[in-house]
């Protein structure tokens, strides 16, 4: 099946610094990628939809200036958590839809666990 | 808006027991329905899917049938194994995005 890779899988940073998480589709092109946040024992919360070559669409309540998303190519989207604070500590997951693929079928990355000290 | 409601966990079963995890959805139109599984320390993986009413998705011994009349997509397996221990997410898909249920933690004991 299609493979989506996230990097880094774990990151620890100091409060006030910025952290970048990469999401790559390894063997397919993804015109659309999604970023989610998962809290312990809770479901995924869609943060934003990232479209190649255009601005991301953010869900209500998600600060676009804090969670910067860039989708510069058909195989790479990045999420940058700017001026991170301890409350930003979470598990961030990306997913990608194959261009022209079945509606709704997504392939997920392994997730990136962010810990802000 | 769209929503997915699934059975709260955690669920603990003995090996070879029968498993049912209930899932119901609300949506406009006719969404595709999915079950995703998250094994410990790993990302989400698609387990099975159904794209229209009465379709049955199946994989690794798991099954779920798209029931339009009851807006349900319950996950079943006749005989669970220890290796099935994971968190299971039901989701409903539109052309734009997927809506996830809260997840059900399954633990299978030997």
């Amino acid at each position: 099946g299609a493979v989506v890779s996230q990097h880094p899988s774990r990151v620890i940073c100091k409060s006030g610094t910025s952290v970048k998480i990469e999401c790559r589709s390894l063997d397919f092109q993804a015109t659309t990628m999604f970023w989610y946040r998962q809290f312990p024992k809770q479901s995924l919360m869609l943060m934003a939809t990232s479209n190649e070559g255009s601005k991301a669409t953010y869900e209500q309540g998600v600060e676009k200036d804090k969670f910067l998303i860039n989708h510069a190519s058909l195989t790479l989207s990045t999420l940058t958590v700017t001026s991170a604070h301890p409350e930003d500590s979470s598990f961030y997951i990306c997913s990608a839809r194959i261009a022209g693929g079945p509606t709704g079928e997504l392939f997920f990355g392994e997730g990136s666990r962010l810990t802000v000290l | 808006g769209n929503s997915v409601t699934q059975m709260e966990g955690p669920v603990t079963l003995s090996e070879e027991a029968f498993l049912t995890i209930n899932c119901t959805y609300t949506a406009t139109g006719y969404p595709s329905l999915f079950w995703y599984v998250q094994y410990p320390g790993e990302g989400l993986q698609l387990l099975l899917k159904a794209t229209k009413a009465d379709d049955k998705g199946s994989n690794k011994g798991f099954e779920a049938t798209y029931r339009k009349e009851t807006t349900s997509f319950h996950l079943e397996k006749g005989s669970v194994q220890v290796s099935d221990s994971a968190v299971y997410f039901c989701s409903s898909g539109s052309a734009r995005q997927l809506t996830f249920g809260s997840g059900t933690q399954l633990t299978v004991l030997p």
Side-chain angles (χ1 to χ4, degrees):
Chain A
V3 177
V4 174
S5 177
Q6 268 183 255
H7 179 80
S9 58
R10 294 179 184 275
V11 57
I12 301 173
C13 70
K14 292 183 179 180
S15 185
T17 61
S18 295
V19 174
K20 179 185 285 187
I21 301 170
E22 294 186 345
C23 178
R24 294 181 183 273
S25 56
L26 297 185
D27 50 2
F28 66 98
Q29 293 183 333
T31 53
T32 304
M33 290 185 172
F34 303 88
W35 286 96
Y36 303 84
R37 185 171 176 175
Q38 184 180 34
F39 296 95
K41 299 184 179 180
Q42 294 189 32
S43 184
L44 298 176
M45 181 191 79
L46 179 66
M47 298 175 65
T49 301
S50 171
N51 295 300
E52 186 267 337
S54 64
K55 290 183 179 180
T57 302
Y58 290 82
E59 296 300 300
Q60 190 173 9
V62 178
E63 298 177 61
K64 62 180 181 180
D65 294 331
K66 182 167 187 63
F67 298 100
L68 300 178
I69 291 172
N70 182 276
H71 194 159
S73 76
L74 286 172
T75 59
L76 174 64
S77 177
T78 60
L79 167 68
T80 301
V81 183
T82 62
S83 187
H85 291 282
E87 57 266 30
D88 298 325
S89 298
S90 192
F91 195 58
Y92 294 87
I93 300 177
C94 73
S95 68
R97 175 180 296 147
I98 293 177
T103 300
E105 182 167 2
L106 298 174
F107 299 91
F108 288 83
E110 311 95 321
S112 299
R113 184 166 299 284
L114 170 64
T115 302
V116 184
L117 302 177
Chain B
N2 297 349
S3 67
V4 175
T5 303
Q6 66 180 95
M7 188 170 105
E8 287 191 19
V11 174
T12 303
L13 297 173
S14 297
E15 203 165 23
E16 298 184 2
F18 184 85
L19 169 72
T20 299
I21 302 177
N22 290 339
C23 172
T24 57
Y25 67 92
T26 60
T28 55
Y30 302 97
S32 297
L33 301 175
F34 305 85
W35 276 100
Y36 284 88
V37 58
Q38 186 175 27
Y39 297 103
E42 299 184 16
L44 285 175
Q45 301 174 26
L46 178 65
L47 179 61
L48 54 84
K49 66 178 180 181
T51 56
K52 60 182 186 296
D54 300 325
D55 267 3
K56 177 184 285 188
S58 62
N59 185 26
K60 299 181 180 180
F62 290 89
E63 292 183 342
T65 301
Y66 192 142
R67 302 286 188 198
K68 180 184 170 184
E69 62 277 12
T70 55
T71 62
S72 65
F73 193 54
H74 303 323
L75 181 68
E76 296 182 337
K77 185 172 185 179
S79 176
V80 293
Q81 305 300 312
V82 173
S83 57
D84 293 327
S85 297
V87 181
Y88 293 82
F89 293 90
C90 182
S91 65
S92 166
S94 69
R96 177 174 176 270
Q97 68 181 73
L98 287 181
T99 301
F100 286 87
S102 57
T104 303
Q105 171 77 55
L106 170 66
T107 301
V108 180
L109 303 175

